[in-house]
Amino acid sequence: CNFYLYNLSTCDIVSTAAHSNSNIKTITVGAEAIENNAFKNTVVETFDGGANLMTVDSAAFAGCEALASIVLPATVTTIACDAFTGAKAITSIQVDAVEAPEGGVFDPEVYENATLIIPEGSEAAYKADPNWGKFLTIHNDINDSPTGIAGKYLDAGVDGNGQAELTGVLCGMDK
């Protein structure tokens, strides 16, 4: 089976046990931390950090070659320097934090090809950061960009502001 949506909204910490099914395509969490190697080398395509995520630890998404879209909430403060190593297919990163989170190191292809979507008024802080400032394309509002996680759900009936309620579901099984 391939799982297209996996919701971890009731977890406090997501650890390596979370990826026991390597066919997970979309992950939404409510956790405060994603621990070391939690989704390493999986086929995840979309990651939504929910509303409470503060830390993405070492190699959490390392080797996730299909990972294309990331959403990080306003609460995120730290991303380990190797959290996304080898995730070169990333095309959209939405960070809702006004201050650039510590870390934010991505492969060179990501800085060149991905769109970084940040809160309005925070562009100077991100551009001044030694890692986040490497992005060639930065939008200061998710509504300014057709990329980003909102585009993944618009066809599913989500409003134009990208608002969706994804709680308590495990769905989209494909045998």
Side-chain angles (χ1 to χ4, degrees):
C1 291
N2 289 322
F3 293 95
Y4 292 98
L5 178 63
Y6 190 67
N7 189 304
L8 299 169
S9 62
T10 60
C11 300
D12 291 326
I13 296 175
V14 178
S15 65
T16 53
H19 72 75
S20 60
N21 182 334
S22 62
N23 292 326
I24 297 169
K25 302 285 186 182
T26 300
I27 299 167
T28 300
V29 299
E32 292 181 358
I34 307 295
E35 289 191 338
N36 298 345
N37 305 309
F39 297 100
K40 184 177 181 177
N41 296 321
T42 62
V43 297
V44 62
E45 297 172 356
T46 304
F47 171 69
D48 183 339
N52 303 314
L53 186 66
M54 294 174 19
T55 305
V56 180
D57 286 338
S58 180
F61 292 91
C64 291
E65 296 176 358
L67 183 61
S69 296
I70 300 169
V71 174
L72 299 171
T75 54
V76 72
T77 57
T78 307
I79 300 171
C81 64
D82 62 346
F84 294 97
T85 300
K88 298 177 183 180
I90 297 170
T91 58
S92 175
I93 303 171
Q94 176 185 329
V95 185
D96 294 337
V98 174
E99 294 296 321
E102 181 182 326
V105 179
F106 296 89
D107 289 331
E109 297 87 349
V110 176
Y111 292 119
E112 294 171 14
N113 301 318
T115 299
L116 176 62
I117 305 163
I118 56 176
E120 191 168 345
S122 62
E123 192 169 353
Y126 280 82
K127 285 189 174 184
D129 186 88
N131 296 315
W132 296 104
K134 294 179 186 178
F135 281 90
L136 298 181
T137 306
I138 299 176
H139 287 277
N140 64 4
D141 185 352
I142 191 166
N143 295 319
D144 288 346
S145 176
T147 60
I149 196 74
K152 296 289 183 188
Y153 297 110
L154 286 175
D155 291 336
V158 175
D159 68 26
N161 292 322
Q163 300 298 310
E165 177 85 25
L166 301 173
T167 58
V169 292
L170 172 63
C171 63
M173 293 179 67
D174 179 305
K175 293 184 181 181

